[in-house]
Amino acid sequence: MARARDVLVRRRPPDDGRDDAQSRTVLDQAAHENFPVAPFFLPRAWRRDLMAVYGFARLVDDIGDGDLAPGGGDAARLGLDPEQEADDPLALLDALEADLYRVFSDRAPGPLHPLMRRLGPTVRSCGLTPEPFLGLIEANRQDQRIGRYPTYGDLLAYCELSANPVGRLVLGITGTASPERVRRSDAVCTALQIVEHVQDVAEDLTRDRVYLPAEDMKRFGVTEADLAAPTGGASVRALIAYEAERARELLNEGTPLVGSVHGRLKLLLAGFVAGGRAALQAVAAADHDVLPGPPKPTKLSLLREVGATLRREG
């Protein structure tokens, strides 16, 4: 924490014409996400605020996964030395946290990174707090230190940082947060995170990360060598089916969130739930063999699940 606050005194890098283009490149990735980020049917203010939050979430994930654009531009925009620190995820995350403090501060200088400057109006107009954003940063710090999860409880604690803040921010932006809605939202977000872990087993392993709990792997007789195979054997597929069912149960627990709201927000939340259900259907259709690549739902299956969710929660 002290290291992050030390960055607060660093000078703003010179602004240049690349900032808007860099922000647009990040925001354009929203169209390729598994779940709708800011669909057209939402009020313009909600779309603006959701895209601002998405920009932050995408930036922190790109830092954590080592997926920033080459050249050190993001490091420079965060006040770091692009020659020395562009490839240091922990230094970048500390600098991003410092920039987050600037978003919530009235003192000069303001935020350095263009995506963080875009976030400022959303934070102020929606009365958002730093905690959800700090959780996302901490999840990506954890990814630098921890690549294995001994128990399902350990994985849930990770999802509390990596996934649940997103749902809480959506509720904050739409002014619909309540203790019960937050509880339901956490269940949905954790489910969606587990779904992604199930789909991306092979990709995660290339980053030296395994999000399948070690106790479950032992129970099903699965080793990391099994996960590195081109296709999944019977034990791997049984393990994936087990984790997918856990995600389904969490989705069921959280789905009443959809019925607790009205109007266009109801459709948005139904889309989140439906995205998870359709992804689970795709995994099942692949006979739970996710090692050749992540099974993806079709648009038709997603629309069908949206309709089914709205009917159940109408």
Side-chain angles (χ1 to χ4, degrees), residues 2-69:
R3 184 179 174 193
R5 288 200 172 108
D6 287 345
V7 186
L8 281 168
V9 301
R10 300 192 180 188
R11 295 169 54 196
R12 178 190 296 275
D15 205 3
D16 61 38
R18 294 176 298 174
D19 278 357
D20 286 342
Q22 189 269 351
S23 297
R24 176 49 51 195
T25 298
V26 172
L27 296 174
D28 282 348
Q29 295 179 67
H32 305 290
E33 296 292 342
N34 281 343
F35 310 108
V37 174
F40 70 92
F41 57 79
L42 294 180
R44 179 176 298 179
W46 286 6
R47 294 203 309 272
R48 178 200 65 212
D49 293 333
L50 288 169
M51 286 301 294
V53 166
Y54 172 80
F56 170 85
R58 183 72 270 163
L59 178 61
V60 71
D61 279 352
D62 284 349
I63 291 173
D65 290 340
D67 288 338
L68 292 175

Side-chain angles (χ1 to χ4, degrees), residues 152 194 213 215-216 241-251:
Y152 183 57
I194 292 174
E215 63 182 5
D216 297 342
Y242 179 73
E243 305 301 346
E245 183 57 29
R246 279 179 155 171
R248 189 184 311 280
E249 290 172 357
L250 283 167
L251 275 178

Side-chain angles (χ1 to χ4, degrees), residues 83-97:
E83 298 292 329
Q84 301 294 324
E85 297 170 293
D87 296 322
D88 184 344
L90 289 174
L92 286 160
L93 291 168
D94 284 349
L96 184 64
E97 183 175 302

Side-chain angles (χ1 to χ4, degrees), residues 12-311:
R12 178 190 296 275
D15 205 3
D16 61 38
R18 294 176 298 174
D19 278 357
D20 286 342
Q22 189 269 351
S23 297
R24 176 49 51 195
T25 298
V26 172
L27 296 174
D28 282 348
Q29 295 179 67
H32 305 290
E33 296 292 342
N34 281 343
F35 310 108
V37 174
F40 70 92
F41 57 79
L42 294 180
R44 179 176 298 179
W46 286 6
R47 294 203 309 272
R48 178 200 65 212
D49 293 333
L50 288 169
M51 286 301 294
V53 166
Y54 172 80
F56 170 85
R58 183 72 270 163
L59 178 61
V60 71
D61 279 352
D62 284 349
I63 291 173
D65 290 340
D67 288 338
L68 292 175
D74 288 290
R77 292 180 183 94
L78 288 168
L80 299 178
D81 181 347
E83 298 292 329
Q84 301 294 324
E85 297 170 293
D87 296 322
D88 184 344
L90 289 174
L92 286 160
L93 291 168
D94 284 349
L96 184 64
E97 183 175 302
D99 222 23
L100 180 67
Y101 287 129
R102 295 187 189 97
V103 171
F104 284 90
S105 173
D106 294 330
R107 293 183 300 161
L112 307 183
H113 198 286
L115 289 169
M116 302 301 282
R117 294 199 292 271
R118 184 185 290 262
L119 185 63
T122 292
V123 162
R124 290 187 290 273
S125 65
C126 299
L128 302 180
T129 64
E131 284 74 20
F133 300 100
L134 291 170
L136 294 173
I137 292 174
E138 188 57 33
N140 280 271
R141 282 200 187 101
Q142 187 165 310
D143 277 334
Q144 310 312 308
R145 305 189 303 265
I146 299 173
R148 307 293 186 277
Y149 291 85
T151 70
Y152 183 57
D154 295 324
L155 183 64
L156 293 180
Y158 171 73
C159 292
E160 178 69 21
L161 296 172
S162 67
N164 298 358
V166 175
R168 297 182 184 199
L169 287 167
V170 171
L171 294 177
I173 286 171
T174 57
T176 54
S178 71
E180 178 63 12
R181 284 178 179 146
V182 167
R183 185 179 75 81
R184 300 287 189 183
S185 170
D186 285 353
V188 170
C189 290
T190 293
L192 297 181
Q193 181 76 88
I194 292 174
V195 169
E196 290 195 0
H197 290 332
V198 164
Q199 290 175 298
D200 295 340
V201 169
E203 179 183 341
D204 290 335
L205 191 60
T206 66
R207 302 181 190 275
D208 196 26
R209 298 173 189 167
V210 178
Y211 295 103
L212 302 171
E215 63 182 5
D216 297 342
M217 291 177 62
K218 182 178 180 180
R219 173 182 173 183
F220 286 89
V222 173
T223 67
E224 290 192 21
D226 295 325
L227 300 181
T231 61
S235 59
V236 171
R237 287 184 281 111
L239 172 61
I240 295 300
Y242 179 73
E243 305 301 346
E245 183 57 29
R246 279 179 155 171
R248 189 184 311 280
E249 290 172 357
L250 283 167
L251 275 178
N252 290 341
E253 179 184 339
T255 298
L257 174 67
V258 177
S260 75
V261 299
H262 305 283
R264 287 175 280 188
L265 178 58
K266 188 185 194 80
L267 185 56
L268 176 68
L269 299 183
F272 292 152
V273 170
R277 294 192 188 283
L280 288 173
Q281 285 181 0
V283 170
D287 197 21
H288 299 97
D289 186 5
V290 298
L291 299 188
K296 296 292 187 180
T298 65
K299 289 185 178 180
L300 179 58
S301 67
L302 177 58
L303 289 173
R304 284 175 174 166
E305 281 300 320
V306 169
T309 300
L310 290 172
R311 286 192 298 274

